[in-house]
Amino acid sequence: MARIRVLVVDDHRIFAESLAAALAAEQDVEVSAAGSGPAALRCLERGASEGRRFDVMLVDADLGGGVRGAVGIPPQPLPASAESLMSGAPTGHGAVGGGSLTGGTVGGGVANGRAAPGRMASGRVVDGRAVDGISLVGGVRSAQPGVRTVVLAERDDPRRAAAALQAGACGWVAKDCSLSRLLAVIRGVLRDETHLPPALLTGVLREMTAARKHRTESERLVESLTPREREVLRCMVAGLGRKAVAERLYLSPHTVRTHMQNVLGKLGVHSTLAAVALARRAGVGPVDLAGEIVERGGQLA
Protein backbone atom coordinates (compact mmCIF):
# COMPACT_ATOMS: atom_id res chain seq x y z
CA MET A 1 0.00 0.00 0.00
CA ALA A 2 1.41 3.37 -1.04
CA ARG A 3 1.87 5.69 1.92
CA ILE A 4 1.08 9.41 1.85
CA ARG A 5 4.01 11.45 3.15
CA VAL A 6 2.76 14.51 5.04
CA LEU A 7 4.81 17.38 6.48
CA VAL A 8 3.18 19.39 9.30
CA VAL A 9 4.62 22.91 9.60
CA ASP A 10 3.53 24.80 12.72
CA ASP A 11 5.44 26.65 15.45
CA HIS A 12 2.75 25.83 18.03
CA ARG A 13 4.40 22.75 19.54
CA ILE A 14 1.40 21.15 21.23
CA PHE A 15 -0.79 21.55 18.15
CA ALA A 16 1.91 20.16 15.85
CA GLU A 17 2.53 17.13 18.06
CA SER A 18 -1.16 16.38 18.49
CA LEU A 19 -1.97 16.73 14.79
CA ALA A 20 1.04 14.68 13.72
CA ALA A 21 0.15 11.94 16.21
CA ALA A 22 -3.44 11.77 15.00
CA LEU A 23 -2.41 11.59 11.34
CA ALA A 24 0.29 9.01 12.07
CA ALA A 25 -2.38 6.67 13.40
CA GLU A 26 -3.63 6.22 9.82
CA GLN A 27 -2.06 3.17 8.20
CA ASP A 28 -1.43 4.88 4.88
CA VAL A 29 0.00 8.13 6.29
CA GLU A 30 3.62 8.87 7.22
CA VAL A 31 4.15 12.15 9.07
CA SER A 32 7.05 14.51 9.76
CA ALA A 33 6.99 17.93 11.40
CA ALA A 34 8.87 21.22 11.24
CA GLY A 35 8.56 24.30 13.41
CA SER A 36 9.57 27.04 10.96
CA GLY A 37 9.71 27.88 7.27
CA PRO A 38 13.46 27.27 6.91
CA ALA A 39 13.17 23.96 8.80
CA ALA A 40 10.34 22.91 6.48
CA LEU A 41 12.39 23.76 3.38
CA ARG A 42 15.33 21.75 4.74
CA CYS A 43 13.03 18.82 5.44
CA LEU A 44 11.59 18.96 1.91
CA GLU A 45 15.06 19.23 0.37
CA ARG A 46 16.35 16.29 2.38
CA GLY A 47 13.35 14.15 1.46
CA ALA A 48 13.84 14.93 -2.23
CA SER A 49 17.56 14.14 -2.08
CA GLU A 50 16.82 10.79 -0.42
CA GLY A 51 14.18 9.88 -2.99
CA ARG A 52 11.36 10.15 -0.43
CA ARG A 53 9.52 13.28 -1.51
CA PHE A 54 6.63 14.59 0.54
CA ASP A 55 3.19 14.47 -1.01
CA VAL A 56 1.35 17.04 1.10
CA MET A 57 2.45 19.93 3.31
CA LEU A 58 0.08 21.26 6.00
CA VAL A 59 1.23 24.77 6.95
CA ASP A 60 0.02 27.18 9.61
CA ALA A 61 -1.30 30.38 8.04
CA ASP A 62 0.23 32.38 10.93
CA LEU A 63 3.59 30.61 10.91
CA GLY A 64 6.38 32.82 12.21
CA GLY A 65 4.07 35.58 13.36
CA GLY A 66 5.98 35.89 16.61
CA VAL A 67 2.77 35.72 18.69
CA ARG A 68 3.03 32.21 20.04
CA GLY A 69 6.63 32.19 21.19
CA ALA A 70 9.91 31.28 19.59
CA VAL A 71 10.17 27.56 20.19
CA GLY A 72 11.02 25.74 16.99
CA ILE A 73 10.43 22.09 16.14
CA PRO A 74 13.30 20.38 14.36
CA PRO A 75 12.19 18.46 11.24
CA GLN A 76 11.84 14.75 11.94
CA PRO A 77 9.69 11.70 11.15
CA LEU A 78 7.16 10.61 13.76
CA PRO A 79 6.37 7.04 14.75
CA ALA A 80 3.57 5.21 13.00
CA SER A 81 1.75 4.72 16.32
CA ALA A 82 -0.04 7.66 17.87
CA GLU A 83 -0.17 5.86 21.22
CA SER A 84 3.60 5.43 21.36
CA LEU A 85 4.14 9.11 20.58
CA MET A 86 1.81 10.32 23.28
CA SER A 87 2.81 7.83 26.01
CA GLY A 88 6.52 7.54 25.28
CA ALA A 89 6.36 3.74 24.92
CA PRO A 90 8.79 2.22 22.40
CA THR A 91 7.50 1.18 18.97
CA GLY A 92 8.67 -1.79 17.00
CA HIS A 93 11.44 0.33 15.44
CA GLY A 94 12.68 2.51 18.30
CA ALA A 95 11.67 4.67 21.22
CA VAL A 96 10.39 8.21 21.39
CA GLY A 97 10.11 9.49 24.92
CA GLY A 98 7.81 11.89 26.63
CA GLY A 99 5.74 12.75 23.57
CA SER A 100 8.45 15.15 22.37
CA LEU A 101 9.39 15.72 18.79
CA THR A 102 12.88 14.40 18.23
CA GLY A 103 15.68 15.37 15.91
CA GLY A 104 16.12 11.97 14.27
CA THR A 105 14.16 9.12 12.73
CA VAL A 106 12.51 6.44 14.81
CA GLY A 107 15.15 3.84 15.51
CA GLY A 108 17.84 6.31 14.51
CA GLY A 109 19.66 6.15 17.83
CA VAL A 110 18.56 9.50 19.25
CA ALA A 111 20.02 9.75 22.75
CA ASN A 112 17.37 9.22 25.44
CA GLY A 113 14.71 9.18 22.76
CA ARG A 114 14.42 12.94 22.63
CA ALA A 115 16.25 16.12 21.69
CA ALA A 116 16.21 19.60 23.18
CA PRO A 117 13.95 21.99 21.32
CA GLY A 118 15.68 24.49 19.08
CA ARG A 119 15.14 28.20 18.93
CA MET A 120 13.52 29.98 16.02
CA ALA A 121 13.92 33.69 15.45
CA SER A 122 10.58 35.46 15.57
CA GLY A 123 9.45 37.47 12.58
CA ARG A 124 9.00 36.71 8.90
CA VAL A 125 12.52 35.94 7.69
CA VAL A 126 15.26 33.69 9.05
CA ASP A 127 18.58 33.38 7.21
CA GLY A 128 17.09 35.34 4.33
CA ARG A 129 14.22 32.88 3.85
CA ALA A 130 10.56 33.67 4.37
CA VAL A 131 8.90 31.85 7.26
CA ASP A 132 5.29 33.08 7.19
CA GLY A 133 2.84 30.47 5.97
CA ILE A 134 1.67 31.99 2.70
CA SER A 135 5.19 32.96 1.61
CA LEU A 136 6.29 29.40 2.38
CA VAL A 137 3.52 28.10 0.10
CA GLY A 138 4.91 30.17 -2.77
CA GLY A 139 8.46 29.06 -2.08
CA VAL A 140 7.53 25.40 -2.03
CA ARG A 141 5.50 25.77 -5.22
CA SER A 142 8.61 27.11 -6.98
CA ALA A 143 11.08 24.64 -5.47
CA GLN A 144 8.95 21.48 -5.44
CA PRO A 145 5.79 21.91 -7.53
CA GLY A 146 4.79 18.29 -6.92
CA VAL A 147 4.10 18.97 -3.24
CA ARG A 148 0.45 19.85 -2.53
CA THR A 149 0.04 22.45 0.18
CA VAL A 150 -2.91 22.98 2.48
CA VAL A 151 -3.10 26.03 4.76
CA LEU A 152 -4.39 25.53 8.31
CA ALA A 153 -6.05 28.64 9.73
CA GLU A 154 -7.50 29.64 13.08
CA ARG A 155 -10.09 31.90 11.43
CA ASP A 156 -11.74 32.40 8.08
CA ASP A 157 -10.14 35.23 6.11
CA PRO A 158 -11.20 35.52 2.45
CA ARG A 159 -8.34 37.87 1.55
CA ARG A 160 -5.63 35.64 2.98
CA ALA A 161 -7.28 32.50 1.63
CA ALA A 162 -7.30 34.05 -1.85
CA ALA A 163 -3.64 35.01 -1.43
CA ALA A 164 -2.83 31.44 -0.40
CA LEU A 165 -4.55 30.00 -3.46
CA GLN A 166 -2.78 32.48 -5.72
CA ALA A 167 0.52 31.47 -4.10
CA GLY A 168 -0.17 27.85 -5.01
CA ALA A 169 -2.10 26.34 -2.09
CA CYS A 170 -4.59 23.60 -2.86
CA GLY A 171 -6.77 24.19 0.17
CA TRP A 172 -7.62 26.30 3.22
CA VAL A 173 -8.85 24.38 6.26
CA ALA A 174 -9.92 25.50 9.72
CA LYS A 175 -7.69 24.26 12.52
CA ASP A 176 -10.74 23.13 14.48
CA CYS A 177 -12.04 20.89 11.70
CA SER A 178 -12.45 17.16 12.34
CA LEU A 179 -9.66 14.69 11.62
CA SER A 180 -11.86 12.94 9.07
CA ARG A 181 -12.38 16.23 7.25
CA LEU A 182 -8.64 16.94 7.19
CA LEU A 183 -7.88 13.46 5.90
CA ALA A 184 -10.50 13.93 3.17
CA VAL A 185 -8.77 17.18 2.16
CA ILE A 186 -5.34 15.53 2.15
CA ARG A 187 -6.55 12.74 -0.11
CA GLY A 188 -8.56 15.18 -2.22
CA VAL A 189 -5.66 17.49 -3.05
CA LEU A 190 -3.71 14.45 -4.22
CA ARG A 191 -6.49 14.04 -6.80
CA ASP A 192 -5.88 17.67 -7.86
CA GLU A 193 -8.93 18.96 -6.02
CA THR A 194 -9.10 22.41 -4.40
CA HIS A 195 -10.72 22.60 -0.98
CA LEU A 196 -12.25 25.66 0.70
CA PRO A 197 -14.83 25.98 3.49
CA PRO A 198 -18.22 26.74 1.87
CA ALA A 199 -18.55 29.93 3.93
CA LEU A 200 -15.36 31.27 2.31
CA LEU A 201 -16.22 30.63 -1.32
CA THR A 202 -18.05 33.87 -2.05
CA GLY A 203 -15.45 36.02 -0.32
CA VAL A 204 -12.52 34.27 -1.99
CA LEU A 205 -14.09 34.58 -5.43
CA ARG A 206 -14.72 38.28 -4.79
CA GLU A 207 -11.09 38.81 -3.72
CA MET A 208 -9.69 36.93 -6.70
CA THR A 209 -11.97 38.79 -9.11
CA ALA A 210 -10.87 42.13 -7.66
CA ALA A 211 -7.22 41.12 -7.91
CA ARG A 212 -7.73 40.09 -11.53
CA LYS A 213 -9.47 43.38 -12.30
CA HIS A 214 -6.58 45.30 -10.75
CA ARG A 215 -4.09 43.23 -12.73
CA THR A 216 -6.05 43.76 -15.94
CA GLU A 217 -5.99 47.54 -15.43
CA SER A 218 -2.23 47.40 -14.84
CA GLU A 219 -1.77 45.37 -18.02
CA ARG A 220 -3.81 47.93 -19.97
CA LEU A 221 -1.61 50.77 -18.73
CA VAL A 222 1.60 48.90 -19.58
CA GLU A 223 0.28 48.21 -23.08
CA SER A 224 0.01 51.97 -23.63
CA LEU A 225 3.81 52.26 -23.46
CA THR A 226 5.99 52.30 -26.57
CA PRO A 227 8.45 49.39 -27.05
CA ARG A 228 11.32 51.61 -25.89
CA GLU A 229 9.38 52.73 -22.81
CA ARG A 230 8.62 49.11 -21.93
CA GLU A 231 12.31 48.35 -22.22
CA VAL A 232 13.08 51.22 -19.85
CA LEU A 233 10.37 49.97 -17.48
CA ARG A 234 11.97 46.51 -17.39
CA CYS A 235 15.27 48.15 -16.50
CA MET A 236 13.49 50.01 -13.69
CA VAL A 237 12.04 46.73 -12.44
CA ALA A 238 15.59 45.36 -12.36
CA GLY A 239 16.60 48.27 -10.14
CA LEU A 240 18.91 49.97 -12.62
CA GLY A 241 19.80 53.63 -12.18
CA ARG A 242 19.49 56.17 -14.97
CA LYS A 243 23.17 55.93 -15.93
CA ALA A 244 23.07 52.13 -16.09
CA VAL A 245 19.92 52.22 -18.25
CA ALA A 246 21.58 54.71 -20.60
CA GLU A 247 24.65 52.50 -20.99
CA ARG A 248 22.58 49.37 -21.50
CA LEU A 249 20.29 50.91 -24.13
CA TYR A 250 23.00 53.09 -25.75
CA LEU A 251 21.06 56.25 -24.95
CA SER A 252 22.02 59.53 -23.35
CA PRO A 253 21.08 60.01 -19.67
CA HIS A 254 18.87 62.94 -20.74
CA THR A 255 16.93 60.67 -23.14
CA VAL A 256 16.54 58.01 -20.46
CA ARG A 257 15.23 60.66 -18.06
CA THR A 258 12.63 61.66 -20.65
CA HIS A 259 11.58 58.03 -21.17
CA MET A 260 11.26 57.48 -17.41
CA GLN A 261 9.10 60.59 -17.04
CA ASN A 262 6.88 59.37 -19.90
CA VAL A 263 6.58 55.95 -18.24
CA LEU A 264 5.48 57.48 -14.96
CA GLY A 265 3.00 59.74 -16.72
CA LYS A 266 1.40 56.98 -18.81
CA LEU A 267 1.16 54.63 -15.82
CA GLY A 268 -0.40 57.39 -13.72
CA VAL A 269 2.12 57.14 -10.88
CA HIS A 270 4.53 59.58 -9.29
CA SER A 271 7.53 57.46 -8.34
CA THR A 272 9.76 54.73 -9.69
CA LEU A 273 8.70 52.47 -6.80
CA ALA A 274 5.02 52.81 -7.74
CA ALA A 275 5.85 52.15 -11.40
CA VAL A 276 7.72 48.98 -10.48
CA ALA A 277 4.84 47.77 -8.29
CA LEU A 278 2.36 48.33 -11.11
CA ALA A 279 4.69 46.60 -13.59
CA ARG A 280 4.94 43.60 -11.29
CA ARG A 281 1.14 43.35 -11.08
CA ALA A 282 1.01 43.39 -14.87
CA GLY A 283 3.52 40.56 -15.06
CA VAL A 284 6.42 42.68 -16.32
CA GLY A 285 9.73 41.11 -15.33
CA PRO A 286 13.20 42.64 -15.04
CA VAL A 287 15.76 42.66 -17.83
CA ASP A 288 18.25 39.81 -17.70
CA LEU A 289 21.30 40.98 -15.77
CA ALA A 290 23.13 37.64 -15.69
CA GLY A 291 26.87 38.11 -15.77
CA GLU A 292 26.67 41.90 -15.83
CA ILE A 293 28.09 44.51 -13.47
CA VAL A 294 25.57 47.30 -13.37
CA GLU A 295 24.77 50.41 -11.39
CA ARG A 296 21.77 50.17 -9.07
CA GLY A 297 20.51 53.49 -7.82
CA GLY A 298 23.88 55.13 -8.20
CA GLN A 299 25.97 52.28 -6.77
CA LEU A 300 27.73 49.41 -8.46
CA ALA A 301 26.11 46.01 -7.87
Side-chain angles (χ1 to χ4, degrees):
M1 176 177 60
R3 293 171 68 82
I4 302 171
R5 299 202 69 215
V6 178
L7 177 62
V8 177
V9 188
D10 198 302
D11 53 5
H12 191 299
R13 190 182 187 91
I14 293 176
F15 176 83
E17 288 184 352
S18 301
L19 176 57
L23 292 173
E26 297 293 313
Q27 292 185 351
D28 63 338
V29 178
E30 179 181 340
V31 190
S32 294
S36 69
L41 292 172
R42 289 193 296 270
C43 201
L44 290 167
E45 290 166 2
R46 184 166 62 249
S49 67
E50 294 173 353
R52 302 174 68 247
R53 293 181 180 272
F54 285 91
D55 301 300
V56 178
M57 180 179 73
L58 305 178
V59 59
D60 176 22
D62 297 315
L63 181 70
V67 176
R68 294 179 302 213
V71 176
I73 305 170
Q76 48 72 57
L78 295 169
S81 167
E83 290 80 5
S84 66
L85 177 67
M86 301 306 289
S87 67
T91 69
H93 301 287
V96 176
S100 296
L101 295 178
T102 72
T105 61
V106 176
V110 179
N112 300 323
R114 60 191 301 173
R119 300 290 294 177
M120 185 186 76
S122 62
R124 298 174 67 87
V125 175
V126 176
D127 296 331
R129 307 174 88 170
V131 296
D132 69 292
I134 295 176
S135 293
L136 179 60
V137 170
V140 170
R141 182 186 186 185
S142 299
Q144 296 196 33
V147 178
R148 272 70 167 184
T149 56
V150 176
V151 176
L152 305 179
E154 294 182 353
R155 59 190 180 280
D156 287 344
D157 186 332
R159 179 170 299 178
R160 297 189 71 202
L165 293 181
Q166 290 172 329
C170 299
W172 179 281
V173 180
K175 279 192 169 184
D176 60 358
C177 75
S178 66
L179 179 62
S180 60
R181 166 63 181 164
L182 182 57
L183 286 167
V185 171
I186 289 172
R187 295 187 169 101
V189 297
L190 290 174
R191 297 191 296 267
D192 293 326
E193 298 173 359
T194 299
H195 286 259
L196 282 173
L200 270 182
L201 282 176
T202 300
V204 168
L205 288 175
R206 183 183 302 114
E207 290 292 335
M208 297 186 77
T209 299
R212 178 57 191 169
K213 182 179 180 180
H214 200 175
R215 187 164 58 248
T216 301
E217 175 64 14
S218 298
E219 291 170 349
R220 184 188 66 77
L221 291 171
V222 169
E223 288 174 357
S224 71
L225 303 179
T226 66
R228 177 63 83 184
E229 289 166 349
R230 291 185 201 176
E231 201 168 8
V232 169
L233 178 59
R234 292 187 63 211
C235 290
M236 294 165 65
V237 172
L240 301 185
R242 189 186 306 166
K243 182 179 177 182
V245 175
E247 292 176 353
R248 181 183 182 89
L249 302 182
Y250 303 102
L251 300 172
S252 71
H254 177 75
T255 300
V256 171
R257 180 173 181 272
T258 299
H259 282 312
M260 287 183 167
Q261 290 176 338
N262 289 341
V263 167
L264 297 183
K266 290 183 178 180
L267 297 184
V269 297
H270 302 287
S271 69
T272 297
L273 186 61
V276 169
L278 187 150
R280 286 293 194 183
R281 287 197 299 270
V284 176
V287 292
D288 185 9
L289 302 177
E292 296 185 20
I293 300 178
V294 298
E295 179 190 343
R296 293 177 183 270
Q299 295 183 342
L300 290 181

